[in-house]
Amino acid sequence: MFSNMTLRAKLLTASILIGLIPAICITWNANRAVTTFHEIFPSQFENIARSLTDTIDRNLFERYGDVQAFGYNEVVHDRAHWYTPGASANPIVEAMNKYVVAYGLYDLTLLVDLEGRVIAVNDVNFKNEPINTAYLYEKNFAESGWFKDVMAGNYYTAGAGALTGTVMEDFYADEDDAKIYNNEGLVIGFSAPVTDSSGQTIAVWKNFAQFGLVESIVKDFYSNLATLGHKNVELTLLNRGGTVLLDYDPIRTGKTDIVRDMKVLGKVSLVESGFEAAKAAMIDESGVSRSHEPTSGEIQVVGYAQNRGALGFKGMPWVAMVRENEEAVFGFLTSIEYAEWIILGVSLLAIVIAGLWLARNITGPIDRVLKDLRLGSDELRSSASQVASSAQSLAQGATEQAAALEESAATLEEVSSTSKHNSDNSQAALGLSECVRKASEKGSVSMNQMTSAMSEIKTAADETAQIIKIIDEIAFQTNLLALNAAVEAARAGDAGKGFAVVAEEVRNLAQRSANAARETAEKIKRSKDLADNGVRVTAETSTSLGEIRDNAVKSTDLVKEIAAQSSEQATAMVQLSTAVTELDKVTQQNSAAAEESSAAAEELTAQANLLDQMVTRLAATIYGAKAEVPKTVRASVSKATTPEPKSEAATPKSSVKIVQPVPNAKREPLIELKPSQIIPLDDGDFQGF
Amino acid sequence: MELQQDEREQARLAGRYLTFSLAKERYGLEILKVQEIIGVPNITCVPRCPAFIKGVINLRGRIVPIIDLRLKFGLVEVPYTPKSCVVVVNINAGDQVISLGVIVDTVLEVLDFKPAEIETAPNYGVQVKSNFIVGMGRKNGGDLNILIDIERAVSSAEVGALMQVTK
């Protein structure tokens, strides 16, 4: 599966896996922490509720004891002051006023006798201000519940061994208290019997503790909670019937004081209104509930605890509830969760981007290197194969060259002997050309003599022609004479007939002589022409002979040079022979070297193929086994190599050239020995021959 | 009638002729008109004469005018050769007989034409002044000889001019 992936994909996958697993682990852990927090955090509310109940119980434990302690005051035993209002008249009242002021939390403190009549009551409030309590002396509390309970010994107690001796009245609105203090009269009543020294019950003491006591406890508690970070909580106290005793929600009301909503307090039952947490609180001693608050409709996390008492005190019959809007409670957890998801998302994105970047940055150079490698390997392979073929052809060529060299050596032997023969022949030719030269010189002399003879003949002919011309003139004159004679004879008529015959004969003779002279002249002229011709031919012959002589001289010189050069040639042939032997040796070495290089080239080809396979495997690793990428790479490589065949084609040629110059270099001096360069002759020099 | 006239003419023309050559043609001159034959001597030029009159010579004390027959016959003039001759002829000019030198290329021989060997001159028409040709002589199938009458060849005006020269 992974082998089919490209390196980039692998890197990407790896980086994502590497980055993702911790991110997921962290997220999971954080989630677990949040979940745990979800589970644990509400239990805090339970603890807070528990703490609130404990605080209340610890405080009210003291109030529980106060009433008994007040009863131990011996001033009570002085019956003389009983039923007398006013602190000045009644020391009990004085003591009571001191208690009230000192404690600062009692509205009223009341002492009644066993018939229910008021013995004494304080007449100042906790601020030491006078209050009107005198009318209470007129009242009889014998029918009051608390009086009956005290008289009956129905103390508020947890049972055997626990604190006892006090009757407690749960939160209620006392009409007297309301009347005296002109308020709701919310109080908690604590009543206890007062005994004399013999232990006989003589009276009943009742303390009216302000409900504000509890309210201030709750307020303090709230402010403590606020310092601990719970600023949005709503604190509620219920009695065991689910009725609201106190509700403190400064955020909702916007007031720091506890609002006493008398429509609610002591009247509205949260159990009846369907508040699930309240129902649970009535059953369980403590716990946490997630409940739908019926009035506001919001979901609240509710920690609740029943008062369980403290220090032997049974505890108030109440339930404390610590409530907070769920969203407010878990808001930070939700934000943490959001943050988690955002962090996870961002880190995922970052991981992917980093992975891509990494993959690109790693695969990019590798890709390029691979391309180069592929290019190089292809070139190497083709070059190697070319080198191999070149080396093979080189080896073959070297072998052929060696064979050719042996033939050349044999031929050289022949040429050497031929050159020796040439040298001998050129010596003989030298002698012959010398003879030719002498003969031509003799001929030249003879020709000169002949030329002068011809000239003489010509001169003689000219002279003869002159004579003949004179003869011709004479014949002409004679003819004229004969004609004149004939004219004369004709004039003479018949007498001149004989003379005319003579004249005719004379004329005939003259004619014959003229003819003879003409023929002779023609012959003379012909002989003269012949002589002229002879002279001309002789002159030409003489010139030719001269040229023959000159050329014979030149020829002699040439033959001499030829002889010398032949001799040199023979020497050179010996050197050449040595050189060829050397060359043969070198060629043998070349041949061996070519064989070796051929083998090396084969090895190189094999290595190149191996390299190519390795590159292919590398490409498979990078691009994946089935990936088409290497082909395109290969295509691009082949494209890239296309413009290069020139250099590739040039390489074998040059390698061939490297091999060949060795024989060429040694042959060159021999090739330069051209006859035309040795013999300073043009073709024109031979035209005379 | 005409034949008879020809025969008479042939008979009249028969006789000896001195033949000479002129521009490769052979001419015949009645021998009795010839006084003598000489080589070409030094000729004294006479100014203001017709071109064919080359001048005069002194022939043994006599002044003889010389004409070039080539020029007279309208042929091309050539330089004289050693074989060029002057044939001195006697021509009748009125009552006088004057001698005249005629330069020919060369003299050839004296031929005796019989009447049968002569043909009368052909009639060329009036345009051609060929009346000085009297006939053609041929000897035994030999070369044709143009027989001329030198007196006719030289017109009377020319003769007058010649006479003027001789005086």
Side-chain angles (χ1 to χ4, degrees):
Chain A
M1 175 191 171
F2 287 107
S3 64
N4 290 344
M5 290 172 69
T6 63
L7 181 62
R8 183 174 291 196
K10 282 176 196 168
L11 278 170
L12 192 60
T13 311
S15 59
I16 286 170
L17 285 176
I18 289 164
L20 200 58
I21 287 166
I24 286 169
C25 286
I26 289 163
T27 310
W28 180 73
N29 249 338
N31 249 330
R32 212 172 53 138
V34 168
T35 311
T36 312
F37 223 80
H38 260 289
E39 290 163 4
I40 291 169
F41 193 72
S43 69
Q44 271 198 346
F45 279 55
E46 184 186 344
N47 293 335
I48 291 164
R50 167 64 56 214
S51 176
L52 180 57
T53 57
D54 282 357
T55 310
I56 291 166
D57 283 348
R58 277 172 189 280
N59 197 287
L60 295 185
F61 151 76
E62 288 175 23
R63 307 289 84 75
Y64 192 93
D66 282 349
V67 70
Q68 295 181 30
F70 290 175
Y72 291 125
N73 196 331
E74 294 205 345
V75 75
V76 177
H77 303 299
D78 186 4
R79 286 179 186 261
H81 305 296
W82 285 21
Y83 313 120
T84 314
S88 52
N90 194 343
I92 302 171
V93 174
E94 192 184 356
M96 279 178 166
N97 285 348
K98 283 178 182 169
Y99 285 142
V100 168
V101 171
Y103 281 84
L105 44 77
Y106 292 115
D107 272 355
L108 296 169
T109 178
L110 185 70
L111 187 68
V112 296
D113 65 7
L114 294 177
E115 279 92 41
R117 288 174 58 203
V118 174
I119 298 167
V121 68
N122 60 308
D123 58 1
V124 295
N125 63 8
F126 66 97
K127 295 170 186 170
N128 205 15
E129 292 163 346
I131 52 173
N132 182 24
T133 53
Y135 77 94
L136 288 173
Y137 290 97
E138 307 298 326
K139 274 189 100 172
N140 190 317
F141 290 95
E143 294 305 315
S144 298
W146 53 273
F147 183 78
K148 286 178 180 172
D149 283 342
V150 172
M151 296 309 290
N154 293 332
Y155 303 123
Y156 187 75
T157 179
L163 198 64
T164 187
T166 302
V167 170
M168 198 196 74
E169 285 168 287
D170 196 1
F171 164 83
Y172 74 102
D174 189 273
E175 56 181 23
D176 294 324
D177 190 271
K179 193 175 175 183
I180 293 161
Y181 281 92
N182 195 28
N183 61 11
E184 296 87 356
L186 295 176
V187 292
I188 301 164
F190 293 92
S191 314
V194 179
T195 54
D196 58 7
S197 52
S198 60
Q200 192 70 40
T201 299
I202 56 167
V204 176
W205 194 301
K206 181 181 178 182
N207 283 338
F208 293 79
Q210 301 167 355
F211 191 67
L213 163 68
V214 179
E215 285 177 344
S216 65
I217 289 167
V218 169
K219 265 178 78 178
D220 290 346
F221 191 81
Y222 178 85
S223 60
N224 278 339
L225 277 182
T227 56
L228 290 170
H230 298 284
K231 290 175 182 174
N232 299 324
V233 294
E234 179 180 0
L235 301 176
T236 309
L237 287 179
L238 303 175
N239 64 16
R240 286 295 167 86
T243 308
V244 177
L245 303 180
L246 182 151
D247 188 68
Y248 183 45
D249 189 359
I251 300 299
R252 185 164 57 79
T253 58
K255 294 174 181 172
T256 50
D257 286 332
I258 294 173
V259 178
R260 290 178 179 172
D261 186 355
M262 294 313 291
K263 290 174 185 169
V264 175
L265 298 183
K267 294 185 181 70
V268 174
S269 168
L270 289 180
V271 174
E272 285 169 11
S273 64
F275 192 47
E276 291 298 322
K279 287 177 186 171
M282 296 306 111
I283 299 156
D284 297 331
E285 195 173 57
S286 68
V288 181
S289 174
R290 183 174 165 278
S291 287
H292 185 261
E293 214 278 334
T295 48
S296 67
E298 63 184 14
I299 304 294
Q300 290 181 330
V301 176
V302 183
Y304 57 86
Q306 297 176 351
N307 289 38
R308 60 183 179 186
L311 309 167
F313 173 56
K314 188 188 177 185
M316 300 301 289
W318 295 346
V319 172
M321 289 205 300
V322 179
R323 300 193 280 172
E324 192 170 1
N325 190 318
E326 190 184 40
E327 287 173 19
V329 172
F330 295 117
F332 75 100
L333 287 178
T334 314
S335 67
I336 285 171
E337 274 182 317
Y338 281 151
E340 266 169 34
W341 290 116
I342 286 165
I343 287 166
L344 182 63
V346 167
S347 54
L348 254 178
L349 198 67
I351 285 160
V352 168
I353 287 167
L356 278 173
W357 181 81
L358 196 69
R360 175 168 295 195
N361 269 275
I362 288 173
T363 55
I366 288 176
D367 199 27
R368 282 195 291 280
V369 167
L370 180 66
K371 278 179 184 173
D372 290 350
L373 203 57
R374 169 73 71 188
L375 193 74
S377 123
D378 274 7
E379 278 181 19
L380 179 62
R381 194 175 51 184
S382 65
S383 302
S385 58
Q386 277 176 353
V387 169
S389 63
S390 299
Q392 268 185 346
S393 55
L394 181 62
Q396 199 180 339
T399 312
E400 285 173 14
Q401 201 179 8
L405 263 177
E406 290 201 2
E407 284 176 24
S408 299
T411 313
L412 260 179
E413 284 297 319
E414 285 175 24
V415 171
S416 188
S417 67
T418 309
S419 132
K420 183 85 174 61
H421 199 61
N422 273 355
S423 184
D424 296 347
N425 284 350
S426 60
Q427 288 296 339
L430 185 62
L432 286 175
S433 64
E434 197 67 28
C435 287
V436 167
R437 189 176 64 81
K438 283 174 182 166
S440 67
E441 278 173 1
K442 261 187 207 169
S444 197
V445 171
S446 301
M447 275 299 152
N448 284 341
Q449 290 174 355
M450 193 160 120
T451 305
S452 60
M454 285 289 179
S455 293
E456 285 171 16
I457 287 168
K458 202 178 139 195
T459 313
D462 283 345
E463 288 171 1
T464 310
Q466 202 64 39
I467 291 162
I468 293 301
K469 204 178 173 186
I470 292 165
I471 291 168
D472 191 43
E473 280 178 14
I474 290 167
F476 179 70
Q477 293 297 330
T478 310
N479 190 29
L480 278 186
L481 282 175
L483 288 173
N484 279 321
V487 168
E488 288 300 328
R491 286 230 186 102
D494 290 341
K497 273 193 178 174
F499 186 61
V501 171
V502 174
E504 183 64 26
E505 286 302 316
V506 170
R507 205 198 73 87
N508 283 344
L509 281 173
Q511 201 74 40
R512 276 170 65 190
S513 120
N515 285 342
R518 194 166 57 247
E519 283 173 17
T520 309
E522 280 171 8
K523 283 184 177 150
I524 292 288
K525 190 175 181 297
R526 214 173 136 219
S527 86
K528 195 189 152 204
D529 288 349
L530 286 172
D532 280 345
N533 206 25
V535 166
R536 195 166 44 80
V537 168
T538 305
E540 285 177 9
T541 309
S542 182
T543 314
S544 296
L545 274 174
E547 284 176 9
I548 287 169
R549 193 194 59 222
D550 292 348
N551 287 335
V553 170
K554 281 185 188 173
S555 168
T556 306
D557 291 346
L558 290 179
V559 168
K560 268 184 195 169
E561 284 185 26
I562 288 168
Q565 296 291 355
S566 289
S567 169
E568 283 179 23
Q569 198 179 11
T571 317
M573 278 299 162
V574 172
Q575 289 175 350
L576 186 60
S577 206
T578 317
V580 165
T581 311
E582 194 90 356
L583 193 58
D584 193 34
K585 223 183 279 175
V586 172
T587 307
Q588 294 290 347
Q589 288 173 359
N590 272 357
S591 180
E595 292 289 340
E596 282 175 24
S597 76
S598 176
E602 290 292 334
E603 182 69 17
L604 187 59
T605 309
Q607 291 291 337
N609 282 329
L610 205 60
L611 179 61
D612 200 46
Q613 286 172 12
M614 281 156 71
V615 169
T616 307
R617 259 159 50 201
L618 185 55
T621 311
I622 290 166
Y623 298 111
K626 290 178 184 174
E628 298 294 314
V629 184
K631 285 184 181 178
T632 58
V633 168
R634 199 171 280 205
S636 69
V637 165
S638 64
K639 273 180 188 174
T641 49
T642 352
E644 287 182 35
K646 286 178 184 173
S647 63
E648 285 176 354
T651 318
K653 281 181 185 174
S654 64
S655 69
V656 170
K657 276 181 183 174
I658 289 164
V659 179
Q660 282 180 345
V662 180
N664 278 350
K666 292 202 172 181
R667 271 177 201 162
E668 268 173 358
L670 298 176
I671 287 165
E672 282 175 4
L673 289 170
K674 286 178 185 170
S676 63
Q677 287 171 317
I678 298 165
I679 303 164
L681 266 184
D682 294 326
D683 288 343
D685 293 330
F686 292 97
Q687 279 175 350
F689 296 99
Chain B
M1 183 69 181
E2 202 163 315
L3 270 173
Q4 286 178 349
Q5 197 177 349
D6 274 355
E7 282 175 6
R8 264 184 282 145
E9 187 71 16
Q10 283 170 343
R12 194 183 62 83
L13 290 173
R16 289 187 175 187
Y17 286 83
L18 174 67
T19 60
F20 57 91
S21 73
L22 199 65
K24 292 182 182 174
E25 296 300 331
R26 290 169 73 99
Y27 291 86
L29 194 64
E30 198 182 351
I31 201 161
L32 290 179
K33 299 243 172 105
V34 177
Q35 187 190 320
E36 61 176 301
I37 302 155
I38 56 172
V40 178
N42 290 328
I43 299 169
T44 305
C45 288
V46 179
R48 297 177 68 92
C49 278
F52 67 92
I53 298 174
K54 301 304 284 186
V56 293
I57 59 167
N58 185 350
L59 183 67
R60 291 189 293 276
R62 277 199 301 153
I63 301 301
V64 176
I66 303 295
I67 66 166
D68 192 327
L69 207 54
R70 274 178 168 260
L71 295 175
K72 180 58 196 164
F73 284 178
L75 300 169
V76 177
E77 188 179 10
V78 294
Y80 302 133
T81 66
K83 289 192 175 176
S84 298
C85 291
V86 176
V87 179
V88 181
V89 293
N90 296 315
I91 58 170
N92 294 314
D95 53 348
Q96 280 187 317
V97 174
I98 60 165
S99 295
L100 179 65
V102 177
I103 300 173
V104 298
D105 285 2
T106 189
V107 290
L108 297 170
E109 57 192 319
V110 174
L111 292 175
D112 189 3
F113 291 111
K114 294 186 170 58
E117 293 166 347
I118 291 171
E119 287 177 30
T120 54
N123 188 7
Y124 297 110
V126 286
Q127 289 88 352
V128 180
K129 288 183 178 176
S130 61
N131 59 343
F132 61 89
I133 299 171
V134 292
M136 296 286 176
R138 186 192 289 252
K139 193 84 178 161
N140 299 326
D143 297 323
L144 201 63
N145 296 281
I146 302 164
L147 304 179
I148 58 168
D149 185 346
I150 193 69
E151 286 175 345
R152 289 187 197 169
V154 183
S155 67
S156 56
E158 290 165 353
V159 170
L162 290 171
M163 285 176 70
Q164 206 69 28
V165 169
T166 54
K167 281 179 183 175

